[in-house]
Amino acid sequence: MKTQVGIIGAGPAGLILAQLLHLQGIDSVILERKSRNNIEGTVKAGILEQTTIDILREIGVGDRMDREGHFHNGNYFQFNGQRRHIDLIKYSGGKQVVVYPQHEVIIDLVNARYENGKDIIFDVEDVTLHDIDSKQPKIRYRKNGLDEELVCDFIAGCDGYHGPSRHAIPEQNRKEHVHFYQFGWLGILSDSAPAADELIYANHDQGFALLSTRTPILQRHYLQVDPFDGIANWSDDRIWSELTARTKTNDGWQVPDGPINSKGIFQMRSFVCETMQYGRLFIAGDAAHTVPPTGAKGLNLAATDVKVMACGIMEFYEQGITDILDRYSEICLRRVWGAERFSYFMTKLLHMNPHLDSFERGVQLAELDYFTSSEAGLKMIAENYVGLPIQWEKAGDLKTLLK
Ligand code: APR
Ligand code: PHB
């Protein structure tokens, strides 16, 4: 089998890339390890930045997001039992975010792929990359017990943190930066009323809590926990009592509770792979970098990586030049490090590190006070939360390249 772009992974990165390429008349094949049901049903984070909202609309998959998503003009930061509003629109120059869960984005993108008359090859095994420094890189895999080979012009490694693509870049050509946190998140879905009109990020002596939403009757909330704790230690009563204690306000407000229908604990990590390219292989999204969820950046970074990649591939086929592709990693990494910085900052600002001394706790509270009250602090939070632009001296080329 032959294609122009072989895409490994049908997460947000792979599926957005396939749609961007399709709209430019560029052929791709998507190989996915899991089943369609699995990728469409897994609960993940749910905030899309303005940059992602724009990309999804541009590629024709924004209709359901526009109808069913919850558009937020701001959010709340809470500490010492007081809630401070961050006006994202005001401090970011008119930008918003939308709560629209990742699996809904996946459903829309998979539907678009089939509406284009294209396929996704699900349930593939043993994916390996070959000849990536040649003009004919290849992907080998097994499907239904048969060995297959896909010959490509380019390979897009969109296979998440655990996928094989990143490891195909020779070790001496990549540097991996990783940072672990002493915190994990316990996430729940509950049949309860929304906590507020916008998200609440709460700092408390007992630890961080985040009150988010999915629908008017289904809420998504998170608690900072020990990353090695077992979910069996967290009864529904214990979860509600911690969520209540960490998010109640001095004026007596308490989070509305209800039956919990899903719960799980996950670890957080910051990770960046430098470089994001080697020969004809380009890696994107979680394959190249991960962020803790505090800044809500994961999917959004994946979307802009593949936009840059699609522009570079388009430039190659249209003009026969590789100016953008040659600088793919450099262009993406500037925005990636910006989002890494912000996610790290948000995580440190809001969580309780068990080893903080009382002086450091005082500084943390002073930082919360400063960033939620000074114009400079509010602007820093707002412009990062809604997503930094792709900063590149030729960013205009990216805008004009895609038809
Ligand atoms: N072969 C084929 N597919 C693979 C392989 C493999 N060996 N390994 C992983 N995959 C698939 C996964 O099953 C998954 O569907 O690649 C896809 C990668 O998707 P994501 O992990 O969602 O990564 P990405 O598309 O970069 O999106 C990043 O997704 O998981 C969130 O927190 C993450 O929000 C971030 C966003
Ligand atoms: C979510 O709703 O899942 C969510 C929202 C904001 C975050 C992380 C996750 O920062």
Side-chain angles (χ1 to χ4, degrees):
M1 205 175 13
K2 223 178 161 308
T3 187
Q4 289 174 295
V5 184
I7 301 176
I8 308 174
L15 291 167
I16 295 173
L17 176 65
Q19 180 71 0
L20 281 162
L21 294 174
H22 170 76
L23 294 173
Q24 307 305 317
I26 299 170
D27 185 52
S28 66
V29 169
I30 309 178
L31 302 171
E32 168 57 50
R33 188 169 58 90
K34 296 183 187 153
S35 68
R36 179 172 178 177
N37 276 345
N38 188 316
I39 63 161
E40 291 187 341
T42 308
V43 177
K44 295 215 171 156
I47 288 270
L48 308 183
E49 300 171 344
Q50 186 73 54
T51 39
T52 310
I53 297 171
D54 295 342
I55 291 174
L56 294 179
R57 286 178 182 156
E58 272 162 40
I59 63 174
V61 292
D63 289 357
R64 207 159 64 89
M65 167 191 77
D66 281 331
R67 274 197 317 275
E68 296 176 17
H70 303 272
F71 284 82
H72 286 185
N73 298 341
N75 57 30
Y76 298 96
F77 277 33
Q78 182 173 320
F79 58 101
N80 282 340
Q82 295 167 30
R83 207 165 276 173
R84 299 246 174 111
H85 188 242
I86 316 266
D87 187 336
L88 294 175
I89 295 244
K90 177 174 170 193
Y91 290 104
S92 72
K95 295 180 183 165
Q96 279 182 301
V97 296
V98 62
V99 182
Y100 189 64
Q102 179 165 321
H103 71 272
E104 302 291 358
V105 178
I106 298 282
I107 291 170
D108 296 343
L109 287 161
V110 171
N111 284 338
R113 179 82 180 163
Y114 285 110
E115 277 160 23
N116 296 337
K118 300 276 180 121
D119 200 6
I120 297 169
I121 308 180
F122 287 105
D123 304 300
V124 300
E125 294 171 292
D126 300 336
V127 169
T128 51
L129 297 86
H130 304 269
D131 305 329
I132 56 173
D133 48 1
S134 78
K135 288 189 174 161
Q136 294 261 275
K138 297 164 195 75
I139 307 173
R140 299 204 181 110
Y141 61 98
R142 277 175 83 73
K143 166 88 187 172
N144 297 330
L146 296 177
D147 289 324
E148 306 281 355
E149 184 177 84
L150 178 65
V151 181
C152 324
D153 293 338
F154 298 99
I155 297 178
C158 302
D159 44 3
Y161 181 73
H162 298 287
S165 296
R166 182 176 69 253
H167 305 283
I169 301 176
E171 232 169 294
Q172 65 273 20
N173 291 81
R174 69 184 140 93
K175 177 152 178 55
E176 299 193 351
H177 309 270
V178 65
H179 180 80
F180 289 100
Y181 299 86
Q182 284 136 321
F183 343 111
W185 274 19
L186 186 162
I188 63 160
L189 278 172
S190 74
D191 299 325
S192 50
D197 52 340
E198 289 167 348
L199 268 55
I200 300 168
Y201 289 85
N203 170 276
H204 188 273
D205 283 337
Q206 282 163 241
F208 167 75
L210 168 59
L211 303 180
S212 182
T213 186
R214 287 293 177 265
T215 71
I217 54 166
L218 185 70
Q219 311 313 320
R220 179 79 169 148
H221 300 326
Y222 300 94
L223 279 174
Q224 174 190 344
V225 296
D226 179 332
F228 303 107
D229 205 348
I231 196 68
N233 295 328
W234 287 87
S235 67
D236 292 6
D237 281 351
R238 182 174 175 210
I239 291 172
W240 282 119
S241 120
E242 279 296 319
L243 276 170
T244 306
R246 297 183 195 188
T247 60
K248 69 174 188 245
T249 54
N250 295 339
D251 58 11
W253 180 92
Q254 290 199 1
V255 59
D257 62 7
I260 293 178
N261 48 46
S262 122
K263 55 182 165 182
I265 292 178
F266 54 91
Q267 231 185 325
M268 320 207 282
R269 155 190 349 98
S270 293
F271 168 77
V272 180
C273 176
E274 291 182 312
T275 172
M276 290 172 61
Q277 67 189 97
Y278 185 77
R280 289 285 184 105
L281 166 66
F282 298 87
I283 60 174
D286 274 21
H289 40 75
T290 58
V291 282
T294 331
K297 292 277 161 271
L299 190 158
N300 300 291
L301 285 178
T304 33
D305 286 351
V306 295
K307 177 149 188 190
V308 177
M309 200 193 301
C311 288
I313 293 172
M314 181 65 188
E315 189 185 54
F316 172 84
Y317 285 118
E318 283 256 296
Q319 300 173 32
I321 56 172
T322 56
D323 290 8
I324 295 176
L325 283 180
D326 289 344
R327 299 180 63 190
Y328 167 74
S329 191
E330 175 196 337
I331 299 167
C332 292
L333 281 169
R334 182 154 181 210
R335 187 172 133 83
V336 167
W337 275 114
E340 292 283 351
R341 181 204 73 80
F342 182 65
S343 306
Y344 173 87
F345 160 82
M346 283 272 281
T347 304
K348 297 270 172 179
L349 181 71
L350 288 158
H351 288 70
M352 281 303 293
N353 180 334
H355 304 296
L356 280 194
D357 60 34
S358 65
F359 174 82
E360 290 165 313
R361 176 72 175 132
V363 168
Q364 186 185 40
L365 288 168
E367 281 203 300
L368 277 161
D369 186 20
Y370 171 73
F371 279 106
T372 56
S373 60
S374 98
E375 292 276 312
L378 289 162
K379 194 158 191 291
M380 192 288 272
I381 290 180
E383 71 182 15
N384 281 277
Y385 194 84
V386 301
L388 294 174
I390 298 169
Q391 286 175 292
W392 183 43
E393 69 276 19
K394 290 192 192 160
D397 294 3
L398 298 179
K399 284 201 192 80
T400 50
L401 254 168
L402 299 181
K403 286 174 232 159

